[in-house]
Amino acid sequence: ANVTAVDAAEENIHACKTRIRPGLQKNINFINGLVEDVVDQEHTYDVVCCLEVIEHVSSPKHFLKLCTRLINRKNGNGSLIISTMNRTVKSYALAIVAAEHVFGKVPVGTHDWVKFVKPSEIEEVIHANGLNTEQLSGMMYNPFLRTWHLHPTNSVDVNYMLIAST
């Protein structure tokens, strides 16, 4: 498969390049830029992944709309995969108070709770732009094992993943 990786931060592109298994880098096109830059090139993709990004952009609705424009609609099976944090009291307590202030897992100020996005807000944008929700799954982080898992009760109170398709 061919992959295009887009990130606004050059240091993230560099970090990604250093972690790729030998032989795979030739199949990855790295773009240091914004989703707008890719949309302007009029490329479309079978799968677009936005993992832990949307809660950091200035306008989540605009960002999502741009992402839906990147989906290949010719073959009828393009997909958008999003993971992010829900805007709930529980997410504030765990992602900001615990992760940033108590345990120091991420730098203070990494997250802005106001930018966390409810699943219904994502669905509103993607449905209006011709995509259908295929799956909504809760996710949880195990800080002791440093691993992510689907939530056993599928709670989307803190982290979740949404898969949408054409």
Side-chain angles (χ1 to χ4, degrees), residues 81-109:
I81 302 171
I82 299 168
S83 67
T84 191
M85 288 185 252
N86 200 345
R87 193 175 55 254
T88 62
V89 173
K90 188 174 178 180
S91 70
Y92 182 84
L94 292 175
I96 296 178
V97 176
E100 292 185 16
H101 297 279
V102 176
F103 298 111
K105 289 292 183 185
V106 294
V108 172

Side-chain angles (χ1 to χ4, degrees), residues 40-141:
D40 288 344
Q41 295 174 14
E42 298 184 10
H43 291 294
T44 59
Y45 302 90
D46 294 332
V47 178
V48 173
C49 297
C50 302
L51 307 178
E52 304 304 314
V53 173
I54 195 167
E55 68 271 18
H56 300 285
V57 301
S58 59
S59 176
K61 285 185 178 186
H62 178 68
F63 177 81
L64 276 171
K65 186 175 180 178
L66 291 172
C67 290
T68 66
R69 290 179 51 195
L70 292 173
I71 304 295
N72 180 355
R73 295 167 191 263
K74 292 177 186 171
N75 59 13
N77 59 3
S79 296
L80 175 62
I81 302 171
I82 299 168
S83 67
T84 191
M85 288 185 252
N86 200 345
R87 193 175 55 254
T88 62
V89 173
K90 188 174 178 180
S91 70
Y92 182 84
L94 292 175
I96 296 178
V97 176
E100 292 185 16
H101 297 279
V102 176
F103 298 111
K105 289 292 183 185
V106 294
V108 172
T110 296
H111 299 108
D112 179 352
W113 184 77
V114 173
K115 290 184 177 180
F116 288 8
V117 185
K118 294 182 173 292
S120 59
E121 295 167 342
I122 290 177
E123 289 180 312
E124 177 184 326
V125 176
I126 63 172
H127 294 170
N129 287 277
L131 298 180
N132 301 302
T133 302
E134 297 294 330
Q135 184 174 347
L136 176 62
S137 300
M139 297 170 46
M140 61 184 289
Y141 180 68

